[in-house]
Amino acid sequence: DTGVSQDPRHKITKRGQNVTFRCDPISEHNRLYWYRQTLGQGPEFLTYFQNEAQLEKSRLLSDRFSAERPKGSFSTLEIQRTEQGDSAMYLCASSTDRLSTEAFFGQGTRLTVV
Amino acid sequence: GDSVTQMEGPVTLSEEAFLTINCTYTATGYPSLFWYVQYPGEGLQLLLKATKADDKGSNKGFEATYRKETTSFHLEKGSVQVSDSAVYFCALPPVSGGYNKLIFGAGTRLAVHP
């Protein structure tokens, strides 16, 4: 088991472009989360999947953001028409479905919108 | 709603000094409590956890005791090292909702100097 893997680690894009990030969770984990972290802040919850079902989306997730988890395995987070305010670290985490269990995080994708 | 409050940083210490990072929480029930650590350029790693009142979580010389009466989960270490320099996050899963969405504090940056 190699842990949670995120790709790419870094992404620089021009404002208005679309970007897509990928997350591969720990194989036996059926829960997958996306968080966003801006400089000097704690991670903020964006969305959550139980297997392939997206069960919750934060109000932070505007219409320009979409996340998928086909077949309940890897997940993608797409940002359309990026804005400078989207610059942040995007963290993926996975866990089992036991209540109050810890989540395991990937190393994150750092997005810079110029 | 459920929330976590951490002491503001940065905390700057000399090597071998004693560390305390305060964390208090607001929750409708008795959740598990976590401390995560984020080293520069990395994702979050679980440092320690406690699952019920009066439990003490410990790892790598760090300790935290779940205090229900004061709704606190302060992180302590008796003798810090330069390698402990990182950002520390207190976190809790909401008791309500039925699924594991971690809520993080803002984080406390620790800098340890030789």
Short mmCIF file of all heavy atoms in Angstrom, two decimals, chain B residues 21-53:
data_model
loop_
_atom_site.label_atom_id
_atom_site.label_comp_id
_atom_site.label_asym_id
_atom_site.label_seq_id
_atom_site.Cartn_x
_atom_site.Cartn_y
_atom_site.Cartn_z
N ILE B 21 0.83 23.36 22.75
CA ILE B 21 -0.03 24.01 21.77
C ILE B 21 -1.47 23.75 22.20
O ILE B 21 -1.91 22.60 22.28
CB ILE B 21 0.19 23.49 20.34
CG1 ILE B 21 1.63 23.75 19.89
CG2 ILE B 21 -0.79 24.17 19.38
CD1 ILE B 21 1.95 23.20 18.50
N ASN B 22 -2.19 24.81 22.48
CA ASN B 22 -3.54 24.67 23.01
C ASN B 22 -4.57 24.41 21.90
O ASN B 22 -4.48 24.99 20.81
CB ASN B 22 -3.95 25.94 23.77
CG ASN B 22 -3.18 26.10 25.06
OD1 ASN B 22 -2.62 25.14 25.59
ND2 ASN B 22 -3.14 27.30 25.57
N CYS B 23 -5.52 23.57 22.22
CA CYS B 23 -6.63 23.28 21.32
C CYS B 23 -7.89 23.09 22.15
O CYS B 23 -7.89 22.32 23.12
CB CYS B 23 -6.36 22.03 20.51
SG CYS B 23 -7.79 21.40 19.58
N THR B 24 -8.94 23.81 21.80
CA THR B 24 -10.24 23.59 22.41
C THR B 24 -11.26 23.33 21.31
O THR B 24 -11.07 23.75 20.17
CB THR B 24 -10.69 24.79 23.26
OG1 THR B 24 -10.71 25.96 22.44
CG2 THR B 24 -9.78 25.01 24.44
N TYR B 25 -12.32 22.65 21.67
CA TYR B 25 -13.29 22.27 20.65
C TYR B 25 -14.71 22.53 21.14
O TYR B 25 -14.96 22.62 22.35
CB TYR B 25 -13.13 20.80 20.27
CG TYR B 25 -13.47 19.84 21.37
CD1 TYR B 25 -14.77 19.34 21.51
CD2 TYR B 25 -12.51 19.43 22.29
CE1 TYR B 25 -15.09 18.46 22.55
CE2 TYR B 25 -12.82 18.57 23.32
CZ TYR B 25 -14.10 18.09 23.44
OH TYR B 25 -14.42 17.23 24.47
N THR B 26 -15.60 22.64 20.19
CA THR B 26 -17.03 22.70 20.46
C THR B 26 -17.69 21.60 19.66
O THR B 26 -17.53 21.54 18.43
CB THR B 26 -17.62 24.07 20.03
OG1 THR B 26 -16.94 25.10 20.73
CG2 THR B 26 -19.10 24.14 20.33
N ALA B 27 -18.39 20.73 20.34
CA ALA B 27 -19.06 19.62 19.65
C ALA B 27 -20.30 19.23 20.42
O ALA B 27 -20.36 19.39 21.64
CB ALA B 27 -18.11 18.43 19.51
N THR B 28 -21.25 18.68 19.72
CA THR B 28 -22.51 18.31 20.35
C THR B 28 -22.42 16.98 21.07
O THR B 28 -23.28 16.63 21.84
CB THR B 28 -23.64 18.24 19.31
OG1 THR B 28 -23.22 17.38 18.24
CG2 THR B 28 -23.92 19.62 18.75
N GLY B 29 -21.40 16.21 20.82
CA GLY B 29 -21.26 14.92 21.48
C GLY B 29 -19.84 14.74 21.96
O GLY B 29 -19.20 15.70 22.37
N TYR B 30 -19.36 13.54 21.88
CA TYR B 30 -18.02 13.21 22.36
C TYR B 30 -17.24 12.55 21.24
O TYR B 30 -17.12 11.33 21.19
CB TYR B 30 -18.11 12.31 23.59
CG TYR B 30 -18.96 12.94 24.68
CD1 TYR B 30 -20.23 12.46 24.95
CD2 TYR B 30 -18.49 14.04 25.38
CE1 TYR B 30 -21.00 13.04 25.93
CE2 TYR B 30 -19.27 14.63 26.36
CZ TYR B 30 -20.53 14.13 26.63
OH TYR B 30 -21.30 14.72 27.58
N PRO B 31 -16.72 13.40 20.35
CA PRO B 31 -16.04 12.84 19.19
C PRO B 31 -14.64 12.34 19.53
O PRO B 31 -14.11 12.63 20.61
CB PRO B 31 -15.94 14.04 18.26
CG PRO B 31 -15.81 15.21 19.20
CD PRO B 31 -16.70 14.85 20.39
N SER B 32 -14.04 11.63 18.62
CA SER B 32 -12.59 11.43 18.67
C SER B 32 -11.91 12.76 18.40
O SER B 32 -12.50 13.67 17.81
CB SER B 32 -12.15 10.41 17.62
OG SER B 32 -12.73 9.15 17.87
N LEU B 33 -10.68 12.86 18.81
CA LEU B 33 -9.90 14.08 18.59
C LEU B 33 -8.55 13.69 17.98
O LEU B 33 -7.98 12.65 18.34
CB LEU B 33 -9.68 14.84 19.90
CG LEU B 33 -10.95 15.39 20.55
CD1 LEU B 33 -10.66 15.86 21.97
CD2 LEU B 33 -11.54 16.52 19.70
N PHE B 34 -8.07 14.55 17.10
CA PHE B 34 -6.84 14.24 16.38
C PHE B 34 -5.87 15.42 16.40
O PHE B 34 -6.30 16.58 16.45
CB PHE B 34 -7.14 13.94 14.90
CG PHE B 34 -8.16 12.88 14.65
CD1 PHE B 34 -9.46 13.20 14.33
CD2 PHE B 34 -7.81 11.55 14.71
CE1 PHE B 34 -10.42 12.23 14.10
CE2 PHE B 34 -8.76 10.56 14.47
CZ PHE B 34 -10.06 10.91 14.16
N TRP B 35 -4.60 15.12 16.34
CA TRP B 35 -3.59 16.09 15.98
C TRP B 35 -2.92 15.61 14.69
O TRP B 35 -2.45 14.46 14.63
CB TRP B 35 -2.53 16.26 17.06
CG TRP B 35 -2.92 17.21 18.14
CD1 TRP B 35 -3.40 16.92 19.38
CD2 TRP B 35 -2.86 18.65 18.08
NE1 TRP B 35 -3.65 18.06 20.09
CE2 TRP B 35 -3.32 19.14 19.31
CE3 TRP B 35 -2.46 19.56 17.10
CZ2 TRP B 35 -3.39 20.51 19.60
CZ3 TRP B 35 -2.52 20.91 17.38
CH2 TRP B 35 -2.99 21.38 18.62
N TYR B 36 -2.89 16.50 13.70
CA TYR B 36 -2.18 16.25 12.46
C TYR B 36 -0.96 17.17 12.41
O TYR B 36 -0.99 18.28 12.96
CB TYR B 36 -3.05 16.53 11.24
CG TYR B 36 -4.01 15.42 10.88
CD1 TYR B 36 -5.23 15.27 11.54
CD2 TYR B 36 -3.71 14.51 9.87
CE1 TYR B 36 -6.10 14.26 11.20
CE2 TYR B 36 -4.58 13.48 9.52
CZ TYR B 36 -5.77 13.38 10.20
OH TYR B 36 -6.64 12.37 9.86
N VAL B 37 0.08 16.74 11.69
CA VAL B 37 1.27 17.56 11.50
C VAL B 37 1.53 17.68 10.00
O VAL B 37 1.31 16.74 9.23
CB VAL B 37 2.49 16.96 12.23
CG1 VAL B 37 2.81 15.54 11.77
CG2 VAL B 37 3.71 17.86 12.07
N GLN B 38 1.96 18.87 9.61
CA GLN B 38 2.29 19.13 8.20
C GLN B 38 3.69 19.69 8.13
O GLN B 38 3.94 20.83 8.54
CB GLN B 38 1.28 20.10 7.59
CG GLN B 38 1.46 20.29 6.09
CD GLN B 38 0.35 21.16 5.50
OE1 GLN B 38 -0.19 22.04 6.15
NE2 GLN B 38 -0.01 20.89 4.26
N TYR B 39 4.60 18.90 7.59
CA TYR B 39 5.97 19.36 7.38
C TYR B 39 6.03 20.19 6.10
O TYR B 39 5.17 20.03 5.22
CB TYR B 39 6.92 18.17 7.33
CG TYR B 39 6.96 17.38 8.62
CD1 TYR B 39 6.28 16.18 8.74
CD2 TYR B 39 7.64 17.87 9.73
CE1 TYR B 39 6.28 15.47 9.93
CE2 TYR B 39 7.64 17.17 10.93
CZ TYR B 39 6.96 15.98 11.02
OH TYR B 39 6.94 15.29 12.20
N PRO B 40 7.02 21.04 5.97
CA PRO B 40 7.09 21.94 4.81
C PRO B 40 6.96 21.21 3.48
O PRO B 40 7.66 20.23 3.22
CB PRO B 40 8.48 22.58 4.96
CG PRO B 40 8.74 22.55 6.43
CD PRO B 40 8.13 21.26 6.92
N GLY B 41 6.03 21.67 2.66
CA GLY B 41 5.84 21.11 1.33
C GLY B 41 5.14 19.77 1.28
O GLY B 41 5.06 19.16 0.20
N GLU B 42 4.64 19.31 2.40
CA GLU B 42 4.03 17.98 2.47
C GLU B 42 2.55 18.06 2.80
O GLU B 42 2.02 19.10 3.17
CB GLU B 42 4.74 17.14 3.53
CG GLU B 42 6.23 16.94 3.30
CD GLU B 42 6.51 16.13 2.05
OE1 GLU B 42 5.72 15.19 1.78
OE2 GLU B 42 7.49 16.42 1.34
N GLY B 43 1.89 16.92 2.65
CA GLY B 43 0.51 16.81 3.09
C GLY B 43 0.44 16.61 4.59
O GLY B 43 1.45 16.68 5.29
N LEU B 44 -0.75 16.35 5.08
CA LEU B 44 -0.94 16.18 6.52
C LEU B 44 -0.72 14.72 6.92
O LEU B 44 -1.12 13.80 6.21
CB LEU B 44 -2.35 16.59 6.92
CG LEU B 44 -2.59 18.07 7.12
CD1 LEU B 44 -2.63 18.79 5.80
CD2 LEU B 44 -3.88 18.31 7.88
N GLN B 45 -0.11 14.55 8.09
CA GLN B 45 0.08 13.21 8.65
C GLN B 45 -0.57 13.17 10.02
O GLN B 45 -0.45 14.13 10.79
CB GLN B 45 1.57 12.89 8.82
CG GLN B 45 2.40 12.99 7.59
CD GLN B 45 3.87 12.80 7.91
OE1 GLN B 45 4.25 12.19 8.91
NE2 GLN B 45 4.73 13.33 7.05
N LEU B 46 -1.25 12.09 10.31
CA LEU B 46 -1.80 11.93 11.65
C LEU B 46 -0.66 11.79 12.65
O LEU B 46 0.20 10.93 12.50
CB LEU B 46 -2.71 10.71 11.72
CG LEU B 46 -3.36 10.47 13.07
CD1 LEU B 46 -4.37 11.55 13.38
CD2 LEU B 46 -4.02 9.09 13.12
N LEU B 47 -0.66 12.62 13.68
CA LEU B 47 0.38 12.56 14.71
C LEU B 47 -0.09 11.69 15.87
O LEU B 47 0.62 10.80 16.31
CB LEU B 47 0.71 13.96 15.20
CG LEU B 47 1.74 14.08 16.31
CD1 LEU B 47 3.09 13.52 15.87
CD2 LEU B 47 1.89 15.52 16.77
N LEU B 48 -1.29 11.96 16.37
CA LEU B 48 -1.84 11.15 17.44
C LEU B 48 -3.33 11.36 17.52
O LEU B 48 -3.86 12.31 16.93
CB LEU B 48 -1.17 11.47 18.79
CG LEU B 48 -1.16 12.91 19.27
CD1 LEU B 48 -2.45 13.28 19.96
CD2 LEU B 48 0.01 13.15 20.22
N LYS B 49 -4.00 10.49 18.27
CA LYS B 49 -5.44 10.62 18.40
C LYS B 49 -5.89 10.09 19.75
O LYS B 49 -5.17 9.35 20.41
CB LYS B 49 -6.16 9.87 17.29
CG LYS B 49 -6.03 8.36 17.35
CD LYS B 49 -6.84 7.69 16.25
CE LYS B 49 -6.73 6.17 16.31
NZ LYS B 49 -7.55 5.52 15.25
N ALA B 50 -7.09 10.49 20.14
CA ALA B 50 -7.74 9.97 21.34
C ALA B 50 -9.21 9.76 21.00
O ALA B 50 -9.82 10.59 20.34
CB ALA B 50 -7.60 10.93 22.51
N THR B 51 -9.76 8.65 21.43
CA THR B 51 -11.10 8.29 21.00
C THR B 51 -12.17 8.54 22.06
O THR B 51 -13.35 8.53 21.74
CB THR B 51 -11.16 6.82 20.58
OG1 THR B 51 -10.72 6.02 21.67
CG2 THR B 51 -10.28 6.57 19.37
N LYS B 52 -11.77 8.76 23.31
CA LYS B 52 -12.78 9.04 24.34
C LYS B 52 -12.17 9.86 25.45
O LYS B 52 -10.95 10.01 25.55
CB LYS B 52 -13.37 7.74 24.89
CG LYS B 52 -12.38 6.82 25.55
CD LYS B 52 -13.07 5.53 25.98
CE LYS B 52 -12.14 4.64 26.79
NZ LYS B 52 -11.01 4.17 25.99
N ALA B 53 -13.04 10.38 26.30
CA ALA B 53 -12.62 11.25 27.39
C ALA B 53 -11.57 10.57 28.26
O ALA B 53 -11.65 9.38 28.54
CB ALA B 53 -13.82 11.67 28.22
#
